Amino acid sequence: MSSSLPGVRSLPDSQYDLSTYWGRVRHTASITDPRTLLVSSAGLTDAKNLLIAYKNGQIPNMTPDLWKAKKVVDSTLHPDTGESVFLPFRMSCFVLSNLVVTAGMLTPGLGNRGTIAWQVANQSLNVAINYSNANKSSPLSWSKIAQSYFLAVGASCSVAVGLNSVVPRLKSITPSTRLILGRLVPFAAVASAGALNVFLMRGEEIRTGIDVFPVLSQKAKEAFAAQGKSPTEGESLGKSQKAATLAVGETAVSRVLNSSPIMVIPALALVRFQKTEWLKKNPRWTTPLNLGLILVTSYAVLPLALAAFPQRQKVMADSLEERFHGRGGEGGLVEFNRGI
């Protein structure tokens, strides 16, 4: 993110009020804008140079061009490392990357092999996204990544195959209800495995803790930035397991909030569309219509889900382990990167 760039003054966190939910929604919609994926490496370099010029006082005030540059940088660079996130695993590519596997999992009439194949593909993508956007102060070893991956895949496949077996055996329900339940089977698998995937892929953070930083006043940030460092660089108070548990838990909840409408709304809407004369006469449009419903729902839901919790979370220092008591910054607060 832009906070990792050098300079003698800090950039504003956002052009929106991040203390409010709708402010975070607007900010999240900005940094998940898929148009940022079209920015070339030269364009990213230009955006970084423009922001560095502001942080060094060469540009006095924020301008529309600066906000656009900040949007590009924030959507591309990891907030902890300052390095570019691999394009398919950026949150601005989240909807597009998930579109194919989501549509595959919602395909009616999948057998056990098809269900397992799509769940493996979905969890593979989840692992890559969770790893790429996690807090990097407690990195996972490759053995831990492999272990977490196989556990997540096993859990999602078990839930999906189990529910696929149960639904056809429900004899007391109407065919239309059975059809709807069949469409909702992927939701249970994706929602449960998605949350589990976050905990598994970021379990090391909970075991070892993540870096927490004192919340600095604007004057303190500017003084620290004058040394050519970001406002949090080198200022960690230590690693907190409680902060890590909160960060991972909030991320897991936001994943469920994001997947729920995507699994439910398009499936139920498609059932209604399939009752129309137009779709009965043109069944070849069923799959394109399903993809369109998923795409629209995904773009509408993503910023609403990710904005449920601040990415840069602030808590009272006294709510963490005893060693952090009394060590908070402004207002007794500490902050940490939640990850996405």
Side-chain angles (χ1 to χ4, degrees), residues 71-89:
K71 170 181 174 178
V72 169
V73 171
D74 285 350
S75 66
T76 304
L77 304 186
H78 192 282
D80 289 335
T81 65
E83 298 177 356
S84 294
V85 176
F86 187 47
L87 189 146
F89 308 144

Side-chain angles (χ1 to χ4, degrees), residues 15-32:
Q15 61 187 125
Y16 308 110
D17 184 1
L18 298 183
S19 66
T20 67
Y21 173 67
W22 287 111
R24 293 196 299 273
V25 169
R26 296 178 69 186
H27 174 74
T28 305
S30 174
I31 63 174
T32 56

Side-chain angles (χ1 to χ4, degrees), residues 273-284 286:
F273 276 114
Q274 286 177 322
K275 295 178 180 179
T276 64
E277 290 299 323
W278 175 79
L279 200 55
K280 288 179 180 178
K281 295 178 180 178
N282 300 278
R284 66 183 182 277
T286 300

